Amino acid sequence: MGSLCFSLFMIIAASGSGLLFGVESKTYWGDIEVLKEFKNGIDPASLTAGSCVASWDFTLDPCDNLFGEKFTCGFRCDLVISGTSRVTELSLDQAGYAGSLASTWNLPFLVTLDFSNNYFSGQVPESLSNLTRLRRLGLSRNSFAGEIPASIGSLSNLEELYLDNNNLQGTIPGSFSGLVSLKRLEIQLNKLSGQLPDLGSLKSLYYLDASDNAISGQVPASLPSSLVELSIRNNSLGGSLTSKSFINLEYLQVVDLSYNRIGGSVPLVLFELASLQQLILSFNQLSSIETPSYHGVGSRSGLIAIDISNNNLRGFLPSFMALMPKLSSLSLENNKFRGMIPTQYALKTVYPESGMSPFERLLLAGNYLFGLIPSPLMALKPDSANVRLVDNCLYRCPLIFFFCQGGQQKSLQECRRFNPLIP
C-alpha cells in the first residue's frame, strides 16, 4: 500500500513534466481554495520579498509547480489513490507574517500545520477540527488571543500541540482528554486560568509544559503514566502534593512546580522514583518533607538536582538526601530549618564514598541552623564546590532556640523579652 503514496518531490524527480504513469498530477480544487483564502487573510504589508507565501501565484497549479519559481516553499503535496495531489503539510517560514486564520480549514489530508514564530493574531479557529489526519499543530510564538477551541480535542491523531507564547485566555478544555495520541503538549506563556483537566487518559503524553499562566487548583491526582517531563511553574497552583499523583510515573525525569502556592508536605515518593533526575519545588508554601520510616530511602533515587528553596520548611535538615548516589545539587535555602548541619552532608561534599556523586552545590543559606560547621567542610578546597551557609544562626543563635519558647520563630528583640541573657 505504501507504493500508492508519493511526495511531490519524488514525482518531480521521476518526471520533469509532472507526469506519473501518463497521468498529469493536479492539485485538488478544494485545497487550492483553502490556500487562496489563507493567503488573502495575511496582511499584505507582511508579505516580504523572498518569503514563501509571497511567491504563491495561483495562475499556476500549486502542487505541479512546488519548489519552482512561483511556489518556492511553504507546503507539501502527496499523490493520493485517486491520482489527485493533496496538500499534506503547511509549514511556513519565520518571515513575520501577520493577519488571521479565518479560513475554513478543509484540508482532510493535512498531517502538519506549523505557523510558529510569526505575528498571526485573532482567535484559533474552530475549523481546525476539520483536520482529522493532523499529527502536528504548531502555533507557537504568535499573538493568538481568546480561548482554546474545545473542538481541538477531537483531533485523535494529533501527536504534537504547540500553543505556547501567545495571549490565549480561559481554561484548558476538558476535551483535551480526547487527544489520545498526544505525545507533547506546550501551552506555556499564555494567560490560561482555571484548573488543569484530567489528562490521565493520554497514555502517550511524555512532555507537558503549562508554565507561566494563571492555572489554579491542585496538581491532578491522575497524570499520564508516560510522562517524562512535567513543568507547571509560575502559576497559582495550591493545595498539597499527593503520592497518588506521582507513584505510577516510572518514566518521569523532570518535575518543575516552582513559583506556585503549594503547601503541605513534599511526598516521599518523589525521592524514591528511580527515573526522576530533577525536582524543582522552590518558591511555594511547603512546610515539611515526609520523613522516611525505614533505612535506605534515597539509595535507589536517580535525582541529580533538588531545589526546594524559598518555602516554609521546618524541622531538621533531611539527612537521607546525603544517601542519594547521584545527587550533586541540593538547595534548601531560605526556609526555616533548624538544628545542626548533618555530618553526612559534609562527608558527601568533601569525602564521598565510592560510586557516590559529591555535592557540587550545597545551598543552605537563610535558615536557622546552629552549631559548629562540620570539620570536613572546613577542609574544603577553594573552587571544589559551591557551599553557601550565610544567614544562619551558626555559633550564637542556639540561645534563642533554647530560651525562646522552644524554637518558635521570633525576632531577636522578641526573644530578649523572654530571656535577658540573650546577647
mmCIF file of all heavy atoms in Angstrom, residues 4-30:
data_model
loop_
_atom_site.group_PDB
_atom_site.id
_atom_site.type_symbol
_atom_site.label_atom_id
_atom_site.label_comp_id
_atom_site.label_asym_id
_atom_site.label_seq_id
_atom_site.Cartn_x
_atom_site.Cartn_y
_atom_site.Cartn_z
ATOM 1 N N LEU A 4 1.342 3.477 -3.078
ATOM 2 C CA LEU A 4 0.269 4.303 -3.609
ATOM 3 C C LEU A 4 0.461 5.771 -3.296
ATOM 4 O O LEU A 4 -0.212 6.622 -3.867
ATOM 5 C CB LEU A 4 -1.082 3.828 -3.039
ATOM 6 C CG LEU A 4 -1.500 2.402 -3.440
ATOM 7 C CD1 LEU A 4 -2.774 2.013 -2.709
ATOM 8 C CD2 LEU A 4 -1.704 2.302 -4.942
ATOM 9 N N CYS A 5 1.347 6.101 -2.302
ATOM 10 C CA CYS A 5 1.529 7.491 -1.889
ATOM 11 C C CYS A 5 2.975 7.912 -2.128
ATOM 12 O O CYS A 5 3.900 7.263 -1.680
ATOM 13 C CB CYS A 5 1.179 7.667 -0.403
ATOM 14 S SG CYS A 5 -0.562 7.371 -0.066
ATOM 15 N N PHE A 6 3.160 8.966 -2.880
ATOM 16 C CA PHE A 6 4.493 9.514 -3.145
ATOM 17 C C PHE A 6 4.452 11.005 -2.912
ATOM 18 O O PHE A 6 3.479 11.666 -3.286
ATOM 19 C CB PHE A 6 4.918 9.272 -4.604
ATOM 20 C CG PHE A 6 4.967 7.812 -4.978
ATOM 21 C CD1 PHE A 6 3.852 7.182 -5.533
ATOM 22 C CD2 PHE A 6 6.123 7.083 -4.778
ATOM 23 C CE1 PHE A 6 3.893 5.856 -5.872
ATOM 24 C CE2 PHE A 6 6.167 5.749 -5.128
ATOM 25 C CZ PHE A 6 5.057 5.131 -5.673
ATOM 26 N N SER A 7 5.470 11.558 -2.293
ATOM 27 C CA SER A 7 5.526 13.012 -2.161
ATOM 28 C C SER A 7 5.850 13.622 -3.509
ATOM 29 O O SER A 7 6.437 12.970 -4.375
ATOM 30 C CB SER A 7 6.583 13.407 -1.136
ATOM 31 O OG SER A 7 7.848 12.980 -1.574
ATOM 32 N N LEU A 8 5.436 14.906 -3.680
ATOM 33 C CA LEU A 8 5.565 15.530 -4.989
ATOM 34 C C LEU A 8 7.008 15.639 -5.440
ATOM 35 O O LEU A 8 7.312 15.512 -6.628
ATOM 36 C CB LEU A 8 4.933 16.924 -4.956
ATOM 37 C CG LEU A 8 4.906 17.638 -6.311
ATOM 38 C CD1 LEU A 8 4.037 16.888 -7.297
ATOM 39 C CD2 LEU A 8 4.457 19.063 -6.168
ATOM 40 N N PHE A 9 7.912 15.846 -4.451
ATOM 41 C CA PHE A 9 9.292 15.997 -4.904
ATOM 42 C C PHE A 9 9.812 14.702 -5.526
ATOM 43 O O PHE A 9 10.661 14.725 -6.415
ATOM 44 C CB PHE A 9 10.204 16.472 -3.767
ATOM 45 C CG PHE A 9 10.466 15.460 -2.706
ATOM 46 C CD1 PHE A 9 11.519 14.568 -2.840
ATOM 47 C CD2 PHE A 9 9.693 15.416 -1.560
ATOM 48 C CE1 PHE A 9 11.766 13.637 -1.864
ATOM 49 C CE2 PHE A 9 9.944 14.493 -0.587
ATOM 50 C CZ PHE A 9 10.977 13.602 -0.735
ATOM 51 N N MET A 10 9.287 13.562 -5.101
ATOM 52 C CA MET A 10 9.651 12.298 -5.735
ATOM 53 C C MET A 10 9.045 12.202 -7.126
ATOM 54 O O MET A 10 9.642 11.657 -8.047
ATOM 55 C CB MET A 10 9.181 11.130 -4.874
ATOM 56 C CG MET A 10 9.922 10.997 -3.539
ATOM 57 S SD MET A 10 11.659 10.633 -3.764
ATOM 58 C CE MET A 10 11.563 8.979 -4.445
ATOM 59 N N ILE A 11 7.828 12.768 -7.263
ATOM 60 C CA ILE A 11 7.169 12.762 -8.571
ATOM 61 C C ILE A 11 7.978 13.596 -9.563
ATOM 62 O O ILE A 11 8.235 13.188 -10.694
ATOM 63 C CB ILE A 11 5.737 13.326 -8.460
ATOM 64 C CG1 ILE A 11 4.902 12.427 -7.539
ATOM 65 C CG2 ILE A 11 5.086 13.451 -9.821
ATOM 66 C CD1 ILE A 11 3.564 13.032 -7.174
ATOM 67 N N ILE A 12 8.411 14.805 -9.096
ATOM 68 C CA ILE A 12 9.174 15.689 -9.982
ATOM 69 C C ILE A 12 10.509 15.045 -10.358
ATOM 70 O O ILE A 12 10.957 15.131 -11.499
ATOM 71 C CB ILE A 12 9.388 17.051 -9.299
ATOM 72 C CG1 ILE A 12 8.034 17.742 -9.136
ATOM 73 C CG2 ILE A 12 10.336 17.921 -10.097
ATOM 74 C CD1 ILE A 12 8.110 19.028 -8.348
ATOM 75 N N ALA A 13 11.107 14.371 -9.365
ATOM 76 C CA ALA A 13 12.380 13.712 -9.659
ATOM 77 C C ALA A 13 12.218 12.624 -10.712
ATOM 78 O O ALA A 13 13.102 12.386 -11.525
ATOM 79 C CB ALA A 13 12.966 13.104 -8.374
ATOM 80 N N ALA A 14 11.053 11.979 -10.715
ATOM 81 C CA ALA A 14 10.804 10.896 -11.669
ATOM 82 C C ALA A 14 10.406 11.418 -13.036
ATOM 83 O O ALA A 14 10.625 10.773 -14.042
ATOM 84 C CB ALA A 14 9.711 9.970 -11.128
ATOM 85 N N SER A 15 9.802 12.618 -13.068
ATOM 86 C CA SER A 15 9.311 13.120 -14.344
ATOM 87 C C SER A 15 9.316 14.626 -14.349
ATOM 88 O O SER A 15 8.576 15.262 -13.613
ATOM 89 C CB SER A 15 7.872 12.607 -14.580
ATOM 90 O OG SER A 15 7.329 13.219 -15.722
ATOM 91 N N GLY A 16 10.185 15.231 -15.148
ATOM 92 C CA GLY A 16 10.271 16.691 -15.210
ATOM 93 C C GLY A 16 9.019 17.325 -15.742
ATOM 94 O O GLY A 16 8.777 18.520 -15.551
ATOM 95 N N SER A 17 8.167 16.598 -16.437
ATOM 96 C CA SER A 17 6.940 17.170 -16.993
ATOM 97 C C SER A 17 5.780 17.096 -16.026
ATOM 98 O O SER A 17 4.676 17.532 -16.354
ATOM 99 C CB SER A 17 6.565 16.417 -18.281
ATOM 100 O OG SER A 17 6.304 15.051 -17.984
ATOM 101 N N GLY A 18 6.026 16.531 -14.817
ATOM 102 C CA GLY A 18 4.939 16.424 -13.836
ATOM 103 C C GLY A 18 3.992 15.284 -14.140
ATOM 104 O O GLY A 18 2.866 15.272 -13.681
ATOM 105 N N LEU A 19 4.423 14.281 -14.912
ATOM 106 C CA LEU A 19 3.568 13.151 -15.240
ATOM 107 C C LEU A 19 4.010 11.921 -14.470
ATOM 108 O O LEU A 19 5.202 11.706 -14.228
ATOM 109 C CB LEU A 19 3.645 12.846 -16.758
ATOM 110 C CG LEU A 19 3.209 13.973 -17.694
ATOM 111 C CD1 LEU A 19 3.363 13.529 -19.147
ATOM 112 C CD2 LEU A 19 1.757 14.384 -17.440
ATOM 113 N N LEU A 20 3.047 11.132 -14.052
ATOM 114 C CA LEU A 20 3.345 9.868 -13.385
ATOM 115 C C LEU A 20 2.486 8.797 -14.043
ATOM 116 O O LEU A 20 1.260 8.840 -13.976
ATOM 117 C CB LEU A 20 3.028 9.959 -11.892
ATOM 118 C CG LEU A 20 3.322 8.702 -11.068
ATOM 119 C CD1 LEU A 20 4.820 8.410 -11.061
ATOM 120 C CD2 LEU A 20 2.790 8.841 -9.649
ATOM 121 N N PHE A 21 3.138 7.829 -14.692
ATOM 122 C CA PHE A 21 2.441 6.769 -15.413
ATOM 123 C C PHE A 21 1.432 7.359 -16.416
ATOM 124 O O PHE A 21 0.327 6.850 -16.567
ATOM 125 C CB PHE A 21 1.719 5.833 -14.438
ATOM 126 C CG PHE A 21 2.627 5.250 -13.387
ATOM 127 C CD1 PHE A 21 2.375 5.447 -12.039
ATOM 128 C CD2 PHE A 21 3.751 4.518 -13.759
ATOM 129 C CE1 PHE A 21 3.217 4.911 -11.075
ATOM 130 C CE2 PHE A 21 4.580 3.982 -12.797
ATOM 131 C CZ PHE A 21 4.316 4.180 -11.468
ATOM 132 N N GLY A 22 1.813 8.484 -17.010
ATOM 133 C CA GLY A 22 0.980 9.068 -18.044
ATOM 134 C C GLY A 22 -0.191 9.877 -17.520
ATOM 135 O O GLY A 22 -0.976 10.371 -18.307
ATOM 136 N N VAL A 23 -0.319 10.024 -16.170
ATOM 137 C CA VAL A 23 -1.421 10.789 -15.601
ATOM 138 C C VAL A 23 -0.865 12.086 -15.036
ATOM 139 O O VAL A 23 0.040 12.065 -14.214
ATOM 140 C CB VAL A 23 -2.132 9.987 -14.479
ATOM 141 C CG1 VAL A 23 -3.265 10.804 -13.887
ATOM 142 C CG2 VAL A 23 -2.630 8.657 -15.027
ATOM 143 N N GLU A 24 -1.412 13.219 -15.468
ATOM 144 C CA GLU A 24 -0.914 14.509 -15.019
ATOM 145 C C GLU A 24 -1.382 14.772 -13.596
ATOM 146 O O GLU A 24 -2.535 14.580 -13.246
ATOM 147 C CB GLU A 24 -1.417 15.615 -15.940
ATOM 148 C CG GLU A 24 -0.788 16.969 -15.632
ATOM 149 C CD GLU A 24 -1.217 18.032 -16.632
ATOM 150 O OE1 GLU A 24 -1.969 17.685 -17.575
ATOM 151 O OE2 GLU A 24 -0.807 19.182 -16.450
ATOM 152 N N SER A 25 -0.426 15.187 -12.736
ATOM 153 C CA SER A 25 -0.739 15.483 -11.344
ATOM 154 C C SER A 25 -1.349 16.870 -11.237
ATOM 155 O O SER A 25 -0.782 17.849 -11.707
ATOM 156 C CB SER A 25 0.536 15.410 -10.505
ATOM 157 O OG SER A 25 0.283 15.830 -9.196
ATOM 158 N N LYS A 26 -2.528 16.968 -10.624
ATOM 159 C CA LYS A 26 -3.200 18.249 -10.416
ATOM 160 C C LYS A 26 -3.615 18.370 -8.955
ATOM 161 O O LYS A 26 -4.021 17.387 -8.333
ATOM 162 C CB LYS A 26 -4.443 18.357 -11.313
ATOM 163 C CG LYS A 26 -4.147 18.496 -12.800
ATOM 164 C CD LYS A 26 -3.523 19.845 -13.106
ATOM 165 C CE LYS A 26 -3.349 20.042 -14.610
ATOM 166 N NZ LYS A 26 -2.739 21.335 -14.943
ATOM 167 N N THR A 27 -3.544 19.582 -8.424
ATOM 168 C CA THR A 27 -3.977 19.823 -7.050
ATOM 169 C C THR A 27 -5.493 19.790 -6.966
ATOM 170 O O THR A 27 -6.182 20.365 -7.803
ATOM 171 C CB THR A 27 -3.469 21.199 -6.572
ATOM 172 O OG1 THR A 27 -2.075 21.315 -6.873
ATOM 173 C CG2 THR A 27 -3.682 21.363 -5.079
ATOM 174 N N TYR A 28 -5.995 19.132 -5.960
ATOM 175 C CA TYR A 28 -7.441 19.085 -5.754
ATOM 176 C C TYR A 28 -7.963 20.510 -5.582
ATOM 177 O O TYR A 28 -7.404 21.315 -4.843
ATOM 178 C CB TYR A 28 -7.750 18.242 -4.511
ATOM 179 C CG TYR A 28 -9.227 18.130 -4.213
ATOM 180 C CD1 TYR A 28 -10.062 17.406 -5.036
ATOM 181 C CD2 TYR A 28 -9.761 18.757 -3.091
ATOM 182 C CE1 TYR A 28 -11.422 17.294 -4.759
ATOM 183 C CE2 TYR A 28 -11.116 18.655 -2.801
ATOM 184 C CZ TYR A 28 -11.944 17.930 -3.637
ATOM 185 O OH TYR A 28 -13.285 17.831 -3.367
ATOM 186 N N TRP A 29 -9.056 20.835 -6.277
ATOM 187 C CA TRP A 29 -9.538 22.218 -6.327
ATOM 188 C C TRP A 29 -9.848 22.776 -4.937
ATOM 189 O O TRP A 29 -9.596 23.959 -4.659
ATOM 190 C CB TRP A 29 -10.784 22.305 -7.213
ATOM 191 C CG TRP A 29 -11.987 21.592 -6.641
ATOM 192 C CD1 TRP A 29 -12.345 20.301 -6.822
ATOM 193 C CD2 TRP A 29 -12.955 22.163 -5.761
ATOM 194 N NE1 TRP A 29 -13.476 19.997 -6.124
ATOM 195 C CE2 TRP A 29 -13.877 21.136 -5.459
ATOM 196 C CE3 TRP A 29 -13.155 23.422 -5.206
ATOM 197 C CZ2 TRP A 29 -14.980 21.338 -4.626
ATOM 198 C CZ3 TRP A 29 -14.247 23.626 -4.376
ATOM 199 C CH2 TRP A 29 -15.156 22.593 -4.093
ATOM 200 N N GLY A 30 -10.370 21.947 -4.029
ATOM 201 C CA GLY A 30 -10.708 22.419 -2.688
ATOM 202 C C GLY A 30 -9.480 22.845 -1.905
ATOM 203 O O GLY A 30 -9.520 23.814 -1.130
#
